[in-house]
């Protein structure tokens, strides 16, 4: 009877140990599940963070490219404006040079006209004096003829 009792106590103790072991296995599984869930949450957050960093980097790269393109457009606009201003300045210089040449040409033509007019007047005055001299000679001859 004692052996049965000891066996029964030993079986009860074994059941208690088995129940405690089962409980501990359940707790361990629960901890493992929690650890797995925590690990998955950490992995998910890590992926989210990596995606967020990647998107932020892409946005920053995009903004940088946009800024570089804007700066390049402004540089090209400035170059075009400088070139346009230079062309205007060169056209103005060329226009002034042509105008000065034309003015100089007109001045030379005017001086030439004045010289020709002066020569014409001198020739006319000379011819007039010669005609008067001839008329005087003619009158003197006629006067001499009349007196003779």
């Amino acid at each position: 009877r004692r052996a049965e009792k000891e066996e029964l106590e030993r079986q009860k103790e074994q059941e208690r140990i088995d129940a405690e072991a089962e409980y501990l296995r359940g707790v361990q599984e629960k901890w493992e599940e929690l650890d797995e869930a925590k690990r998955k949450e950490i992995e998910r957050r890590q992926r989210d963070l990596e995606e967020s960093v990647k998107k932020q980097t892409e946005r920053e790269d995009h903004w940088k490219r946009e800024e570089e393109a804007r700066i390049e457009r402004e540089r090209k606009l400035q170059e075009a404006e400088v070139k346009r201003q230079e062309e205007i300045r060169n056209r103005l210089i060329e226009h002034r040079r042509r105008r000065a040449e034309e003015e100089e040409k007109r001045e030379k033509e005017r001086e030439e006209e004045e010289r020709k007019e002066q020569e014409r007047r001198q020739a006319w005055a000379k011819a007039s004096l010669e005609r008067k001299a001839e008329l005087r000679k003619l009158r003197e001859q006629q006067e001499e003829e009349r007196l003779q």
Side-chain angles (χ1 to χ4, degrees):
R1 199 145 150 101
R2 195 170 191 200
E4 276 182 25
K5 192 175 182 183
E6 283 180 6
E7 181 61 30
L8 192 58
E9 281 181 19
R10 195 183 57 72
Q11 281 180 355
K12 281 184 179 180
E13 182 64 23
Q14 188 60 43
E15 285 175 8
R16 188 187 63 73
I17 289 172
D18 288 345
E20 195 173 302
E22 184 65 29
Y23 171 77
L24 288 175
R25 273 194 302 277
V27 168
Q28 180 67 30
E29 285 177 8
K30 193 67 173 169
W31 276 110
E32 287 174 2
E33 287 175 10
L34 288 173
D35 286 348
E36 180 67 15
K38 198 168 222 172
R39 186 185 59 76
K40 286 182 178 180
E41 177 64 17
I42 289 171
E43 287 174 355
R44 184 190 63 76
R45 286 183 181 180
Q46 182 66 28
R47 281 192 310 274
D48 290 351
L49 179 62
E50 288 171 357
E51 285 179 25
S52 175
V53 167
K54 182 180 175 184
K55 285 180 182 178
Q56 181 64 28
T57 302
E58 288 172 355
R59 279 194 298 270
E60 288 172 358
D61 289 346
H62 175 74
W63 294 334
K64 184 178 178 182
R65 286 190 303 275
E66 285 292 318
E67 180 65 12
E68 289 170 351
R70 183 189 62 77
I71 289 170
E72 183 64 16
R73 282 191 305 273
E74 287 179 2
R75 184 188 63 78
K76 285 181 179 180
L77 283 173
Q78 282 183 328
E79 287 177 357
E81 180 61 19
V82 165
K83 186 176 180 181
R84 188 183 72 79
Q85 291 289 337
E86 189 173 314
E87 288 173 356
I88 289 171
R89 187 179 58 82
N90 288 340
R91 283 197 312 262
L92 183 60
I93 289 170
E94 181 61 22
H95 175 72
R96 287 178 180 163
R97 185 192 61 76
R98 278 196 313 269
R99 220 171 59 204
E101 286 176 356
E102 289 170 0
E103 185 62 34
E104 186 177 328
K105 182 180 175 185
R106 281 193 299 271
E107 182 64 23
K108 285 181 180 177
E109 287 172 354
R110 187 186 60 74
E111 289 173 357
E112 181 65 19
E113 286 297 317
E114 286 178 359
R115 186 189 60 74
K116 287 180 179 179
E117 180 64 20
Q118 183 67 25
E119 287 176 358
R120 189 187 63 73
R121 285 182 182 168
Q122 287 175 351
W124 186 82
K126 183 179 177 185
S128 179
L129 287 175
E130 287 174 355
R131 210 179 293 98
K132 283 181 183 178
E134 282 180 31
L135 285 174
R136 197 177 324 117
K137 274 187 188 177
L138 186 60
R139 267 190 248 123
E140 287 174 3
Q141 279 180 349
Q142 287 175 349
E143 187 65 31
E144 276 183 29
E145 287 175 7
R146 197 177 52 88
L147 288 176
Q148 292 179 356

